[in-house]
Amino acid sequence: MQCYTEVAPPTAVSHALQIPLLSSKANNLVVAKNSLLQVFELRSTVTEVPTAGEGETGNVAPHFDSEVADVPFQRTEHTGKLILIGEYPLAGTVLSLARVKVLHAKSRGEALLIAFRDAKLGLVEWNPETYNLHTISIHYYEKQEQSGAPWDADVSDTHNFLTADPSSRCATLKFGANKLAILPFRQ
């Protein structure tokens, strides 16, 4: 359980994932900073770069051995820009992020599976109507009856990790000393 209040927002990136979240053709970057989730969109632009500097003629002749010497030499440059779509505070420390293809997604993109340190999973998708993240399901595995012997380590003190099937059939969360949770997805 997270029982503290952060004085300053987190600044270091703990996890990052490229995912088509906003739509099926989108190129998004999801960044987790402990308990803060940021969604970025990558926009690329093409610009012409002038090559003629001081003392240069700006044609092909100095660069190529050709008969056509008066053709101007033009260069285009592809640049990308990250645009922040939204920041979302989370109730817990992010352990891992995974991409999941779900049926009937509102944005037609993929969903994001977030694993928290205290053996919790959250499946979220992008809602284009509200322009916000929408929770599909929440799963938690920190119940007292799932704990082992009294001398076992606490769930948040063990090495927990999440892995998702690339074909989005299921996800697996290893938590505690020897616990395994399998989360199946509808196909």
Side-chain angles (χ1 to χ4, degrees):
M1 180 172 118
Q2 186 173 346
C3 60
Y4 63 91
T5 302
E6 294 176 341
V7 176
T11 56
V13 174
S14 58
H15 298 86
L17 179 69
Q18 186 275 334
I19 180 174
L21 186 68
L22 301 182
S23 69
S24 60
K25 304 239 189 258
N27 192 7
N28 301 115
L29 176 68
V30 176
V31 174
K33 297 178 176 181
N34 280 344
S35 62
L36 181 69
L37 193 72
Q38 293 179 325
V39 178
F40 293 92
E41 183 177 9
L42 179 67
R43 293 206 182 136
S44 59
T45 58
V46 178
T47 57
E48 283 190 21
V49 178
T51 58
E54 294 178 29
E56 291 185 24
T57 59
N59 60 15
V60 178
H63 302 289
F64 298 106
D65 188 22
S66 68
E67 296 176 4
V68 184
D70 55 349
V71 176
F73 183 70
Q74 295 179 348
R75 192 178 85 187
T76 59
E77 189 175 84
H78 295 274
T79 57
K81 191 172 16 173
L82 282 176
I83 298 169
L84 180 64
I85 302 297
E87 286 186 340
Y88 308 98
L90 302 172
T93 303
V94 174
L95 175 73
S96 183
L97 301 173
R99 296 168 60 160
V100 177
K101 295 176 186 146
V102 294
L103 296 175
H104 312 296
K106 293 179 182 179
S107 66
R108 306 277 189 239
E110 295 183 9
L112 178 67
L113 184 63
I114 307 168
F116 295 95
R117 187 174 58 186
D118 294 330
K120 297 176 188 172
L121 293 174
L123 185 63
V124 296
E125 71 174 343
W126 183 257
N127 188 343
E129 295 167 358
T130 61
Y131 210 67
N132 205 344
L133 288 177
H134 171 74
T135 304
I136 298 173
S137 64
I138 299 173
H139 308 272
Y140 63 96
Y141 304 100
E142 58 182 357
K143 295 180 183 175
Q144 188 65 28
E145 62 265 10
Q146 290 179 350
S147 63
W151 55 84
D152 279 348
D154 190 35
V155 171
S156 61
D157 295 332
T158 58
H159 181 67
N160 306 330
F161 61 91
L162 171 75
T163 184
D165 180 26
S167 59
S168 297
R169 293 177 294 193
C170 67
T172 305
L173 175 69
K174 185 266 177 199
F175 64 98
N178 55 2
K179 307 283 190 290
L180 189 67
I182 298 174
L183 183 64
F185 300 115
R186 291 187 186 138
Q187 295 295 319

